[in-house]
Amino acid sequence: MPLVTLATRAIHDKGASGIGHTLTDPLFEQAVTRTLVLALTVAVICLLLGTLYALALVTAKGPVKALLWGALLVSFWISLLVRTYGWVLLLQPNGVLDKTLRGLGVIHDSLNALQTTPAMYPGMVHIMLPYMVLPIYTSLAALDPSQLRAARSMGAPPLLTFRKVILPQLRPGAIAGAILVFVLSLGFFVTPAFLGGPSKLTVGTIIEREFNSVYDFGAASVMSLALVFVVLAIYLVADRLFRVGEHWTAG
Amino acid sequence: MPLVTLATRAIHDKGASGIGHTLTDPLFEQAVTRTLVLALTVAVICLLLGTLYALALVTAKGPVKALLWGALLVSFWISLLVRTYGWVLLLQPNGVLDKTLRGLGVIHDSLNALQTTPAMYPGMVHIMLPYMVLPIYTSLAALDPSQLRAARSMGAPPLLTFRKVILPQLRPGAIAGAILVFVLSLGFFVTPAFLGGPSKLTVGTIIEREFNSVYDFGAASVMSLALVFVVLAIYLVADRLFRVGEHWTAG
Amino acid sequence: MSIKGDLQDVCVSLGGTPILHDVSLEIPAGSFLTLLGPSGSGKTTTLNVLAGFVSPQSGHVLFDGEPVDKLPPERRSTGIVFQDYALFPHLTVEQNVEFPLKARRVPRAERLERVNRMLELVQLPGTNGKRITTLSGGQRQRVAVARALVFEPRLLLLDEPLAALDKHLRESMQVELRGLQEQLGITTVAVTHDQAEALVMSDLVAIMRAGAVEQVGTPKEVYKRPRTRFVATFLGEANLLRVDDPLVAALGIGWTAQGGDAEVLLRPEDLRLERPEDAPDRPAFYVRRIEFHGARLRISVNPDIRSSTEDLTVSLEACTDAEAWQVGDRVALACDPRAAHVIDPENAAPPAMVSA
Amino acid sequence: MSIKGDLQDVCVSLGGTPILHDVSLEIPAGSFLTLLGPSGSGKTTTLNVLAGFVSPQSGHVLFDGEPVDKLPPERRSTGIVFQDYALFPHLTVEQNVEFPLKARRVPRAERLERVNRMLELVQLPGTNGKRITTLSGGQRQRVAVARALVFEPRLLLLDEPLAALDKHLRESMQVELRGLQEQLGITTVAVTHDQAEALVMSDLVAIMRAGAVEQVGTPKEVYKRPRTRFVATFLGEANLLRVDDPLVAALGIGWTAQGGDAEVLLRPEDLRLERPEDAPDRPAFYVRRIEFHGARLRISVNPDIRSSTEDLTVSLEACTDAEAWQVGDRVALACDPRAAHVIDPENAAPPAMVSA
């Protein structure tokens, strides 16, 4: 329903040439590139961290395991906003990070981290991490522990076991998680808008600006639709390549 | 980490009396009440719709089933923002809903749906529904189909089977889903901020306003923390009562 | 209470794949019939046709001569015990057993009385308030039986009722279940893939293969006089020799002309070993392998000590005489010619599908 | 290749719960020893102590007299076949079997040669490139065995290796597995809960109960001369009579004084039925129940036709004579007094835990 409305609005307000114009706007193109790079980077970082986290989850015992689960679930539940603010407070000029680094004598001027692109990554990664950890964890939990025992009994050193036995079986979960994070990051404007500041625009923030300041519904609609189609296209391609859907509906 | 930063900031900027002052601010109290009511309503609506959706998912066959799954997963993946805009476009003054209703002669003036509280519900429910459907679906899928056959073979009419066999076994999933939706709704400001308009403030939007307009970090921190604690308290109580955690970590 | 059940030329296919092919069965009133076969042979589908969960494409289901094809499962009055019991885990023992009576709107006082009577019958008196999850496997099985019988169904259907229990418990439950069935006189159809269970529990065994019934008969009939090669090899161990094998004549087995494709079935326990010097006119064999099975010895013999042809298997009681045999010994093979049974290859039923 | 394995007074407890209690075992070089017991008796833990996955709190593990307590699993050189095979599903048959050789940095050419030789030995030649998921259960079992043997381990450990296979396949794999073990002469320890499997496959059977070994012996020894009541009832069916039961004397069984708590074991196949008029001095019984088991009849008899005392069980070959018996017949019970075995109640081992 909302999609149909969006489409109607886009065509009605702009017409074909208007749509073309909106999509070739250099500001928009630049934003698309930035969004893709951002989403991809976040996905890759999440992939690495998520795999480590999931491995830690599986191998940890007792209270450590409970703590790791707790952190993951709480992080899932505490609203996006609160977490975003937490990061903002950490990174803002004269924030905790600045003060600490200056206190340690590492830097002298303020980092001014909040208004730069690198600032986007920690926040995004933090928010997206659970979406990566859970599918990888599912893959890991499905891995038969007797396979690890088998590998040990056959004299395999831990690294060989990890490389040849564990990693290949994590792949479906890792791919699903990476795509999910990538796709979510693509349309995810909240954190970048706060952390990246207005000078670093992503598609999400541009759409918001168009909508809020200019009230140019047509342009906002076109961009939203473009975003939806990009996301769907990526998903369909990924599904073809890796059978992600299977993994998700089965899990 | 972010939590610690928040707490430091809150205590540092405001002091004990300041915290008390912020928390007893009538605007804040009003917003808390509104947020609680909103979250509760969304959770209840999601509970009803989610149960129906999950039942439909389980009983549907072939293409209908694929469609239902598809709708659910796409809805999970398309970013919050895009969906929110979709609803905005539908409900805005002179939007599709207005036009349709006026076209049908049901109403004469604009509904002005966007700026009223009822407008919050469809958007919230739409966004939250997947979080409700998935745990209920998990419970349903775990339900042994031979139990339904057993009930039939013993001559039980469908209603009795539903009431005595199916519903009780959905409970753990439904409770987990309802709490998840409630908790997410509590801190979820994006949709209400867009759909509810500035006159209907929730905690989330107040925090945002404090932060954006006034740059009163202290007040924002206190409120954020209060929200986190409320959420955690609700979760812990619910966990005690219904053993939600067990359900989640097992699922 | 006890009714006669009939299947007439029942055919079932699912999505174009034939599952059952012209299955006809007569289940005499009050009898215990077991459907026996490998997995995928259609035995559970047959049970589901009787229960009404599967509608046959053609053919009829009759209860006491009356067609019930049109009746939905809930109106056929069949008590079913599922393989996993399908008890309601959120209800107590009493609420589980009470459920079919509630469905029938039996008043509360009578419900309680019948539940208690039933729980006594399955030797679980006083467990009314217990939760299903606190019961052992054997106790769950009894509750499932009680729930299936409490509403006095016309037919009791058992789907691998003992498969989930361990060996010792399974054997004692076989006796108990059969005793209960005899006591109530209820017509019963059970499904199993366990040959021993089928032989011990049933009045009649129907052996299924690839969607068709190969033979129906008493346990003794199907074991001693199998109609087809499949029945012979599926039920216990079988030595099969072509009728024109010279060994058949050497063992003194007479047979009526049936074509060279016919085979003679010799069960391992029908064969004996003798010392070659005591029986010089008997066929000579070598002992290739001796297995100790507790009560019995299983001895593989072959006319040639290093032959790659299939061994014959002899099963002997593990008495002192039999235990004297050693691998490599020369032995003379003897048998009771009356025990030999000739299988006509024409008997093989056309299967509904190629067996998996 | 073939080494001797020893466990000396091994104790294991997990989180305060004792799992193994003073387990001592001698595994002669080249022999096939089976650990047999009900679930929870500690047999898998014993296997894991040998493999090195479980470290005993006290006691020692010796391979060829040398303590290996300090060696981690990967340095003990034990080939293990797991119950679920634990094959790597993302690798081919060849890659699976090659894995232990890769771990040992064997050069590629030799790896391939050894993999092919091994696949031939387990009768799967030419399956190198097949994916594990396309194999049948029996084929997976063979790949698992090939993978466990390809690096010429000092000890082969089998954890319920045949439990996942169906009856017919299980029986033929028992013979095959045993044949392979004899051919390679590798010392082997298997775990099973299947009595028949233990008796058929092993040189030695160790019967475990509640964390302790109750008896070790050849299959014949443990079946015919069980040390404890538990061993007697766990292995096959047992009629147990107190030595002071008048029936013991009536059957002509002599026994050396051992106190009234001692029991006499009579296996059902050691008992015979005679017509009372032919044997007027034999104890008289009534036939209460006859079960047809194919090769055998299992007949329950009791001195009193409606007694609630436990029946004695007689197992007879299903020949024409035996099939003449009917429920309700009066019979005379006879036995070979040499087959009777007296169990001393003092032999019962102190268990590590109360059995579940």
Side-chain angles (χ1 to χ4, degrees):
Chain A
M1 268 297 272
L3 276 184
V4 176
T5 323
L6 267 180
T8 318
R9 164 66 62 174
I11 293 159
H12 182 262
D13 280 17
K14 287 273 160 176
S17 67
I19 291 174
H21 180 73
T22 307
L23 291 182
T24 51
D25 181 340
L27 191 65
F28 182 72
E29 273 175 16
Q30 206 185 333
V32 165
T33 315
R34 203 191 314 284
T35 306
L36 284 174
V37 170
L38 176 72
L40 206 63
T41 315
V42 169
V44 169
I45 297 175
C46 277
L47 182 60
L48 295 177
L49 290 181
T51 307
L52 291 178
Y53 202 104
L55 285 171
L57 263 180
V58 168
T59 47
K61 285 194 183 93
V64 178
K65 186 175 194 128
L67 197 75
L68 285 172
W69 264 118
L72 192 71
L73 294 179
V74 164
S75 150
F76 232 158
W77 283 324
I78 294 181
S79 86
L80 303 177
L81 184 71
V82 171
R83 281 190 287 155
T84 306
Y85 274 111
W87 282 102
V88 166
L89 294 176
L90 187 71
L91 296 174
Q92 67 177 285
N94 296 313
V96 174
L97 189 65
D98 259 25
K99 282 188 188 156
T100 311
L101 290 179
R102 266 184 290 171
L104 291 172
V106 178
I107 54 166
H108 294 286
D109 297 327
S110 165
L111 265 181
N112 213 358
L114 191 59
Q115 303 300 320
T116 59
T117 313
M120 291 175 170
Y121 295 119
M124 291 286 286
V125 168
H126 182 195
I127 288 168
M128 292 296 168
L129 202 54
Y131 294 94
M132 180 61 92
V133 172
L134 288 183
I136 294 182
Y137 179 80
T138 307
S139 291
L140 259 183
L143 197 151
D144 184 353
S146 65
Q147 286 184 22
L148 305 185
R149 292 188 153 205
R152 277 191 84 183
S153 76
M154 293 181 286
L159 201 70
L160 185 76
T161 307
F162 184 71
R163 224 159 35 82
K164 291 283 177 186
V165 180
I166 300 178
L167 269 193
Q169 299 190 59
L170 287 193
R171 223 173 44 190
I175 290 170
I179 289 168
L180 185 62
V181 167
F182 179 68
V183 161
L184 283 177
S185 302
L186 268 187
F188 215 81
F189 83 110
V190 184
T191 308
F194 277 118
L195 295 186
S199 67
K200 301 286 176 182
L201 293 173
T202 61
V203 181
T205 36
I206 289 196
I207 297 177
E208 188 194 34
R209 270 156 51 100
E210 292 280 349
F211 183 65
N212 276 350
S213 344
V214 200
Y215 256 70
D216 181 349
F217 276 133
S221 305
V222 170
M223 289 179 191
S224 299
L225 268 182
L227 190 58
V228 170
F229 284 128
V230 167
V231 164
L232 277 182
I234 288 171
Y235 176 68
L236 288 177
V237 169
D239 194 37
R240 263 294 161 86
L241 288 178
F242 308 112
R243 301 166 160 275
V244 184
E246 234 170 60
H247 183 79
W248 273 92
T249 49
Chain B
M1 269 295 274
L3 277 184
V4 177
T5 322
L6 268 179
T8 317
R9 162 69 60 176
I11 293 161
H12 182 263
D13 279 18
K14 288 274 162 179
S17 68
I19 291 173
H21 180 74
T22 308
L23 291 182
T24 50
D25 180 343
L27 191 64
F28 182 73
E29 273 177 13
Q30 208 185 330
V32 166
T33 315
R34 203 191 314 286
T35 306
L36 284 175
V37 170
L38 175 71
L40 205 63
T41 315
V42 169
V44 169
I45 297 174
C46 278
L47 181 61
L48 295 176
L49 290 180
T51 306
L52 291 177
Y53 202 104
L55 284 171
L57 262 181
V58 169
T59 47
K61 285 193 184 93
V64 178
K65 188 177 191 122
L67 198 76
L68 285 172
W69 265 117
L72 193 69
L73 294 180
V74 164
S75 147
F76 233 158
W77 284 324
I78 295 179
S79 87
L80 304 176
L81 183 71
V82 172
R83 281 189 285 156
T84 306
Y85 273 110
W87 282 103
V88 165
L89 295 175
L90 188 71
L91 295 176
Q92 67 178 286
N94 296 313
V96 174
L97 189 65
D98 258 25
K99 282 188 189 155
T100 311
L101 289 179
R102 266 184 291 174
L104 292 170
V106 178
I107 54 167
H108 296 283
D109 298 324
S110 164
L111 264 182
N112 213 357
L114 191 57
Q115 303 299 321
T116 59
T117 312
M120 292 175 170
Y121 294 118
M124 291 287 285
V125 167
H126 182 195
I127 288 166
M128 292 296 168
L129 202 54
Y131 295 95
M132 179 62 92
V133 172
L134 289 182
I136 295 183
Y137 179 81
T138 307
S139 290
L140 259 183
L143 198 151
D144 183 355
S146 66
Q147 286 184 22
L148 306 184
R149 295 189 150 200
R152 277 191 85 182
S153 75
M154 293 182 285
L159 200 70
L160 186 75
T161 306
F162 184 72
R163 225 160 34 82
K164 291 283 178 184
V165 180
I166 300 177
L167 268 193
Q169 297 190 62
L170 287 192
R171 224 174 42 190
I175 290 171
I179 289 169
L180 185 61
V181 167
F182 178 70
V183 161
L184 282 178
S185 303
L186 269 187
F188 215 80
F189 83 111
V190 183
T191 307
F194 277 118
L195 296 187
S199 68
K200 300 288 176 180
L201 293 173
T202 61
V203 180
T205 37
I206 289 197
I207 297 177
E208 189 195 32
R209 270 158 49 100
E210 293 279 351
F211 183 64
N212 275 351
S213 347
V214 198
Y215 256 70
D216 181 350
F217 275 135
S221 305
V222 170
M223 288 179 191
S224 299
L225 269 182
L227 190 58
V228 171
F229 284 128
V230 167
V231 164
L232 277 181
I234 289 170
Y235 176 70
L236 287 177
V237 169
D239 193 39
R240 263 293 161 86
L241 288 179
F242 308 111
R243 299 168 161 273
V244 183
E246 234 169 63
H247 183 78
W248 273 91
T249 47
Chain C
M1 266 295 280
S2 75
I3 65 141
K4 182 171 162 302
D6 276 315
L7 293 182
Q8 289 179 345
D9 302 322
V10 166
C11 293
V12 172
S13 37
L14 247 162
T17 320
I19 306 290
L20 291 183
H21 180 78
D22 272 345
V23 168
S24 295
L25 268 184
E26 271 184 51
I27 309 153
S31 70
F32 193 122
L33 181 140
T34 299
L35 300 166
L36 175 67
S39 54
S41 58
K43 38 189 206 305
T44 299
T45 307
T46 309
L47 203 74
N48 280 333
V49 168
L50 280 166
F53 291 122
V54 170
S55 303
Q57 262 79 43
S58 66
H60 297 288
V61 185
L62 310 174
F63 283 8
D64 256 353
E66 232 174 278
V68 293
D69 304 284
K70 296 278 175 296
L71 282 185
E74 56 269 34
R75 300 196 43 215
R76 290 205 183 176
S77 183
T78 52
I80 309 183
V81 176
F82 292 83
Q83 184 171 358
D84 54 3
Y85 313 142
L87 296 170
F88 305 132
H90 55 293
L91 301 180
T92 62
V93 169
E94 178 179 299
Q95 288 167 330
N96 263 283
V97 180
E98 197 184 17
F99 187 87
L101 300 177
K102 256 191 180 152
R104 286 178 166 63
R105 301 176 190 285
V106 175
R108 167 127 185 99
E110 192 192 332
R111 280 207 310 258
L112 266 190
E113 195 207 308
R114 282 170 71 176
V115 166
N116 286 333
R117 209 184 324 136
M118 212 61 228
L119 285 179
E120 223 154 282
L121 211 57
V122 298
Q123 301 179 27
L124 284 177
T127 55
N128 303 47
K130 283 203 180 166
R131 299 205 73 82
I132 295 299
T133 41
T134 65
L135 300 183
S136 71
Q139 289 174 319
R140 286 178 202 207
Q141 215 274 341
R142 284 158 210 249
V143 174
V145 170
R147 193 182 61 172
L149 288 173
V150 72
F151 60 103
E152 296 177 358
R154 298 197 284 172
L155 206 59
L156 178 62
L157 305 177
L158 309 170
D159 186 3
E160 304 257 11
L162 305 173
L165 305 178
D166 74 28
K167 187 167 172 284
H168 283 100
L169 191 55
R170 195 161 66 231
E171 282 171 2
S172 70
M173 286 300 293
Q174 281 169 10
V175 177
E176 237 176 72
L177 204 54
R178 181 61 213 254
L180 191 64
Q181 187 267 338
E182 277 175 349
Q183 194 181 337
L184 297 175
I186 183 171
T187 314
T188 303
V189 180
V191 156
T192 186
H193 65 274
D194 181 337
Q195 301 93 303
E197 195 171 297
L199 293 178
V200 169
M201 289 210 298
S202 333
D203 295 312
L204 290 170
V205 178
I207 287 139
M208 299 196 65
R209 178 197 180 195
V213 174
E214 291 242 336
Q215 186 172 5
V216 187
T218 63
K220 226 171 268 185
E221 274 166 22
V222 293
Y223 183 79
K224 301 217 160 178
R225 304 272 172 255
R227 280 186 69 235
T228 67
R229 192 175 214 281
F230 173 77
V231 174
T233 52
F234 191 74
L235 277 173
E237 226 174 342
N239 295 302
L240 287 165
L241 298 168
R242 284 171 59 94
V243 284
D244 51 8
D245 189 314
L247 187 58
V248 172
L251 285 169
I253 300 167
W255 48 281
T256 48
Q258 243 157 336
D261 279 351
E263 282 178 306
V264 175
L265 165 69
L266 288 167
R267 292 287 181 196
E269 64 272 15
D270 294 331
L271 293 172
R272 289 190 314 277
L273 298 185
E274 290 176 6
R275 274 185 293 176
E277 52 271 30
D278 294 351
D281 51 340
R282 294 279 183 199
F285 281 77
Y286 288 92
V287 173
R288 298 238 289 190
R289 203 184 142 69
I290 301 179
E291 284 171 24
F292 178 71
H293 281 256
R296 306 195 61 83
L297 294 180
R298 186 175 169 282
I299 302 183
S300 308
V301 297
N302 202 292
D304 183 349
I305 186 96
R306 14 194 126 266
S307 153
S308 59
T309 61
E310 223 173 302
D311 294 338
L312 290 185
T313 305
V314 181
S315 171
L316 299 177
E317 231 170 297
C319 59
T320 331
D321 285 355
E323 285 170 12
W325 297 116
Q326 300 282 325
V327 171
D329 280 358
R330 288 206 62 184
V331 293
L333 197 66
C335 86
D336 178 355
R338 287 173 303 169
H341 169 68
V342 178
I343 297 172
D344 187 341
E346 312 264 302
N347 287 344
M353 51 186 178
V354 178
S355 94
Chain D
M1 265 294 279
S2 75
I3 65 141
K4 181 171 162 302
D6 277 314
L7 293 182
Q8 290 181 343
D9 302 323
V10 166
C11 294
V12 171
S13 39
L14 248 161
T17 320
I19 306 291
L20 290 184
H21 181 78
D22 271 343
V23 168
S24 294
L25 268 184
E26 270 183 53
I27 310 154
S31 70
F32 193 123
L33 181 140
T34 300
L35 300 165
L36 175 68
S39 55
S41 58
K43 35 190 207 309
T44 300
T45 306
T46 308
L47 204 73
N48 280 333
V49 168
L50 280 167
F53 291 124
V54 170
S55 303
Q57 262 78 41
S58 65
H60 296 289
V61 184
L62 310 174
F63 283 9
D64 255 353
E66 231 175 281
V68 293
D69 304 284
K70 297 277 175 295
L71 282 185
E74 57 270 34
R75 302 199 40 218
R76 289 204 186 180
S77 183
T78 53
I80 309 184
V81 176
F82 291 84
Q83 184 169 0
D84 53 3
Y85 313 142
L87 296 171
F88 305 132
H90 56 291
L91 301 180
T92 63
V93 169
E94 177 178 300
Q95 289 167 328
N96 263 282
V97 180
E98 197 185 15
F99 187 86
L101 300 178
K102 256 192 181 152
R104 286 178 168 62
R105 303 176 187 284
V106 175
R108 168 126 185 101
E110 191 192 331
R111 280 206 311 256
L112 266 190
E113 196 208 306
R114 282 169 73 174
V115 166
N116 286 331
R117 209 185 325 137
M118 211 62 228
L119 286 179
E120 222 154 281
L121 210 59
V122 298
Q123 301 178 25
L124 283 177
T127 54
N128 303 47
K130 284 205 178 163
R131 300 205 71 81
I132 294 299
T133 42
T134 65
L135 300 183
S136 71
Q139 289 173 318
R140 286 178 203 207
Q141 216 272 339
R142 284 160 210 247
V143 175
V145 170
R147 192 181 61 172
L149 288 174
V150 73
F151 60 105
E152 297 179 356
R154 298 196 285 172
L155 207 60
L156 177 63
L157 305 177
L158 309 169
D159 187 4
E160 304 258 9
L162 305 173
L165 306 177
D166 75 26
K167 188 167 171 289
H168 283 100
L169 191 55
R170 196 161 63 231
E171 282 170 3
S172 68
M173 286 301 293
Q174 281 168 11
V175 177
E176 234 176 76
L177 204 54
R178 181 60 213 253
L180 192 64
Q181 187 267 336
E182 277 174 352
Q183 194 180 337
L184 298 176
I186 184 171
T187 314
T188 302
V189 180
V191 156
T192 186
H193 66 273
D194 181 335
Q195 301 93 301
E197 196 170 297
L199 292 179
V200 169
M201 289 211 298
S202 333
D203 294 312
L204 289 171
V205 179
I207 287 139
M208 297 195 67
R209 179 197 181 194
V213 174
E214 291 242 332
Q215 185 170 7
V216 187
T218 65
K220 225 171 268 183
E221 273 167 23
V222 292
Y223 183 78
K224 302 217 158 178
R225 304 272 171 255
R227 279 186 71 236
T228 67
R229 192 177 214 278
F230 173 78
V231 174
T233 52
F234 191 73
L235 277 174
E237 226 175 342
N239 296 302
L240 287 165
L241 297 169
R242 283 172 59 95
V243 283
D244 51 8
D245 190 315
L247 187 59
V248 172
L251 285 168
I253 299 166
W255 48 281
T256 48
Q258 246 156 335
D261 279 350
E263 282 178 306
V264 174
L265 164 68
L266 289 166
R267 293 286 181 197
E269 64 272 15
D270 294 331
L271 294 172
R272 292 189 312 277
L273 297 184
E274 292 176 6
R275 274 186 293 177
E277 51 272 32
D278 294 349
D281 51 341
R282 295 278 182 199
F285 280 77
Y286 288 92
V287 173
R288 298 239 289 190
R289 201 182 145 71
I290 300 180
E291 283 170 24
F292 179 73
H293 282 256
R296 308 195 59 84
L297 294 179
R298 187 177 168 281
I299 301 182
S300 308
V301 298
N302 202 291
D304 182 348
I305 187 96
R306 14 192 128 268
S307 152
S308 59
T309 60
E310 224 173 298
D311 293 340
L312 290 185
T313 306
V314 182
S315 170
L316 299 178
E317 233 171 295
C319 59
T320 331
D321 286 354
E323 284 170 13
W325 297 115
Q326 300 282 324
V327 172
D329 280 358
R330 287 205 62 185
V331 294
L333 196 66
C335 87
D336 179 355
R338 287 173 304 167
H341 168 69
V342 179
I343 296 172
D344 187 339
E346 314 264 301
N347 286 345
M353 50 187 179
V354 179
S355 96

